[in-house]
Amino acid sequence: MTVNALFLAPSDDWTTYEAALKRAFAAAGLKDIALAPQMAPGEVDYIIYAPSRKTLDFDFTPYRRTKAVLSLWAGVEKIVGNATLTMPLARMVDPGMTQSMAEWVTGHVMRYHLGMDADIVNPEHRWLPRSKPLAQNRRVCILGMGELGQATARMLTGIGFAVHGWSRSPKEIDGVETHHGDSGLQAALAKADILVLLLPNTPETTNTLNARRLALLPPGAFVINPGRGTLIDDAGLIAALDSGQIAHATLDVFRVEPLPADHPFWAHPKVTVTPHIAAETRPETASQVIAENIRRGETGEPFLYLVDRARGY
């Protein structure tokens, strides 16, 4: 029997993913599978999903045959609250995206660790030799120890950084000092010379880094946020930068994107703005994850990366 997969995503994504998905299906041994951007609801076995204007309030009720919705995005905040979505929902954990995120964060950690901005931006041509600590003497804290956080921690510990991480629930990770819960968050922040935010976007994580928690960081700490724009209280961060409590911030994600031209982050001398480029889903590797989940669905194995609806990720 033919397995039917509906591609429910923006039309540009169809152009990008069609060939990659078909290659992944073939590699996974899925020989009798139909993939299309339009399909009768009663015939759909799997929905490959990415948010768009037409899908934000999508009615999944007619898709009674559908075994799972497989997201092309790591974040599922735009769909997880849809009351008509009663079938399993799997988020995307793309190895290519994970590698990209770890590399981007490591690059900016190294930039701060080595003080590279002083040499890159030196219009007065000052000759300022200086010493720096070794990686093992620089404390890096990662908030959010999911797939992205753990991959980033592995890369940083491989260089020699003293890495500790915080998550909502307890975790044990080789080479990483871990914290959890409210009290654990305070302890983690107190030891963060460089703070990396990789938490999901949920009501509980909104404004995780507010004025009170910014004050818990060591004076002169650096902040790197490639996670979600909602994790930081913008006004609180600007105040902490102005006071010197935070030395500098590199921000890749924002509450409104593109970041409005009049937003104070653009003009602030202690802020680096990057245009949401830390990591992106890679069609070839993401398609392999989709194919593997369809294979699992057809053989009765558990789906990978199922979303916990109560937690929102």
Side-chain angles (χ1 to χ4, degrees):
M1 181 180 293
T2 300
V3 175
N4 294 318
L6 171 66
F7 191 85
L8 186 64
S11 56
D12 289 348
D13 286 353
W14 172 250
T15 303
T16 301
Y17 275 93
E18 181 186 9
L21 282 166
K22 289 179 178 178
R23 285 192 294 271
F25 292 159
L30 298 169
K31 297 179 180 179
D32 196 7
I33 183 167
L35 173 69
Q38 294 183 343
M39 201 172 283
E43 299 176 358
V44 175
D45 297 298
Y46 299 92
I47 296 176
I48 301 168
Y49 174 88
S52 68
R53 290 182 180 178
K54 73 175 184 179
T55 64
L56 286 181
D57 298 315
F58 193 78
D59 184 7
F60 291 93
T61 305
Y63 294 83
R64 297 183 178 88
R65 171 172 156 174
T66 302
K67 299 174 183 178
V69 174
L70 309 176
S71 176
L72 290 171
W73 284 25
V76 292
E77 62 272 8
K78 295 182 181 295
I79 188 178
V80 70
N82 189 322
T84 69
L85 199 164
T86 58
M87 63 283 286
L89 170 64
R91 60 191 175 88
M92 173 54 64
V93 178
D94 170 22
M97 178 182 182
T98 301
Q99 176 76 8
S100 176
M101 179 65 79
E103 291 178 359
W104 188 92
V105 171
T106 298
H108 285 283
V109 167
M110 289 297 295
R111 167 191 163 210
Y112 284 142
H113 171 60
L114 298 174
M116 295 172 71
D117 285 7
D119 300 313
I120 295 171
V121 183
N122 186 12
E124 297 175 0
H125 301 167
R126 293 175 296 173
W127 185 272
L128 296 173
R130 61 196 180 278
S131 61
K132 63 171 183 61
L134 295 176
Q136 59 261 34
N137 302 124
R138 183 81 72 180
R139 302 170 300 179
V140 181
C141 175
I142 301 172
L143 301 188
M145 295 305 292
E147 296 285 339
L148 296 177
Q150 290 185 42
T152 300
R154 285 192 296 271
M155 191 170 288
L156 290 170
T157 56
I159 297 172
F161 283 101
V163 178
H164 56 285
W166 179 87
S167 54
R168 180 174 174 177
S169 55
K171 291 188 177 180
E172 292 186 8
I173 302 166
D174 288 344
V176 178
E177 180 183 343
T178 56
H179 309 265
H180 69 278
D182 291 339
S183 61
L185 180 56
Q186 294 184 43
L189 292 173
K191 294 185 285 186
D193 298 322
I194 301 174
L195 180 67
V196 180
L197 290 93
L198 285 172
L199 293 163
N201 180 15
T202 71
E204 290 76 20
T205 63
T206 299
N207 291 331
T208 293
L209 201 60
N210 54 25
R212 178 176 64 84
R213 290 183 176 133
L214 284 161
L216 296 175
L217 292 165
F222 299 93
V223 173
I224 301 172
N225 184 21
R228 291 287 185 267
T230 54
L231 301 178
I232 294 179
D233 173 4
D234 291 0
L237 176 59
I238 289 172
L241 289 162
D242 289 342
S243 72
Q245 169 63 12
I246 302 302
H248 202 278
T250 294
L251 310 175
D252 187 59
V253 286
F254 307 91
R255 293 173 185 269
V256 176
E257 294 185 2
L259 185 67
D262 60 351
H263 196 286
F265 283 155
W266 281 115
H268 202 289
K270 296 182 179 180
V271 175
T272 297
V273 170
T274 60
H276 204 143
I277 56 171
E280 62 181 354
T281 303
R282 311 284 173 136
E284 286 297 327
T285 48
S287 294
Q288 293 165 14
V289 176
I290 296 293
E292 173 61 15
N293 256 341
I294 292 177
R295 187 198 67 77
R296 284 170 170 260
E298 292 306 291
T299 58
E301 300 174 55
F303 291 111
L304 297 172
Y305 315 126
L306 285 176
V307 172
D308 183 328
R309 303 298 179 89
R311 291 189 174 187
Y313 59 91

